[in-house]
Amino acid sequence: MTDACLFCRIVSGEIKGTIVFRDDQATAFRDINPVAPTHILIVPNKHIESVSALERGDEQLIGYLFTVASQLAKSEGITKGGYRLITNTGSDAGQTVFHIHMHLIGGQRMKHPMG
Ligand code: 5GP
Ligand code: ZN
């Protein structure tokens, strides 16, 4: 937990978020500025700044985020239509919150090509 980190504060419950999943490893909540009908952020409860800060030993935790995404896609009803999982890393990619997170985006045909 990092006091200054927005997502740590959502994980701890200090700041309100629309939580859709929570367990001892990960938390998922709806993005405050959704770009599609489903736009959920999936974060590890442990503070990790970005993909660039990953260390050996984080593999299970990061892999687990995909499992949570898969489950949430099912409960959102977007598995058949498909969805995007995006992890922006660093400023060129547009990362604005430096607590590693996966965007789960779906519920519409994606309009924007990669890049
Ligand atoms: P990034 O740009 O780092 O990949 O994604 C950060 C995301 O966090 C953005 O999509 C932004 O809308 C979302 N966000 C920023 N502040 C808040 C907040 O206070 N609550 C929630 N639920 N999402 C936020
Ligand atoms: Zn954090």
Side-chain angles (χ1 to χ4, degrees):
M1 162 90 184
T2 301
D3 281 350
C5 173
L6 175 63
F7 288 175
C8 280
R9 294 167 81 187
I10 290 176
V11 167
S12 73
E14 186 190 331
I15 290 180
K16 204 174 161 300
T18 307
I19 308 284
V20 293
F21 175 86
R22 191 206 293 277
D23 70 5
D24 59 332
Q25 291 193 82
T27 301
F29 46 92
R30 295 199 189 275
D31 197 293
I32 204 165
N33 187 21
V35 299
T38 291
H39 188 168
I40 292 169
L41 301 171
I42 304 161
V43 309
N45 295 344
K46 172 186 166 189
H47 181 84
I48 300 171
E49 273 199 9
S50 74
V51 167
S52 302
L54 286 173
E55 295 174 349
R56 292 300 297 267
D58 290 329
E59 294 85 358
Q60 189 277 336
L61 180 58
I62 296 307
Y64 182 57
L65 302 184
F66 280 89
T67 306
V68 172
S70 174
Q71 293 300 323
L72 286 170
K74 288 191 183 88
S75 57
E76 292 285 307
I78 59 173
T79 299
K80 188 160 180 283
Y83 48 90
R84 276 200 185 142
L85 299 173
I86 297 172
T87 298
N88 295 321
T89 304
S91 53
D92 272 0
Q95 185 177 4
T96 57
V97 179
F98 285 81
H99 180 129
I100 195 169
H101 52 279
M102 182 183 278
H103 296 253
L104 166 61
I105 299 171
Q108 69 183 22
R109 174 73 71 163
M110 300 300 154
K111 298 179 202 76
H112 303 289
M114 300 293 275

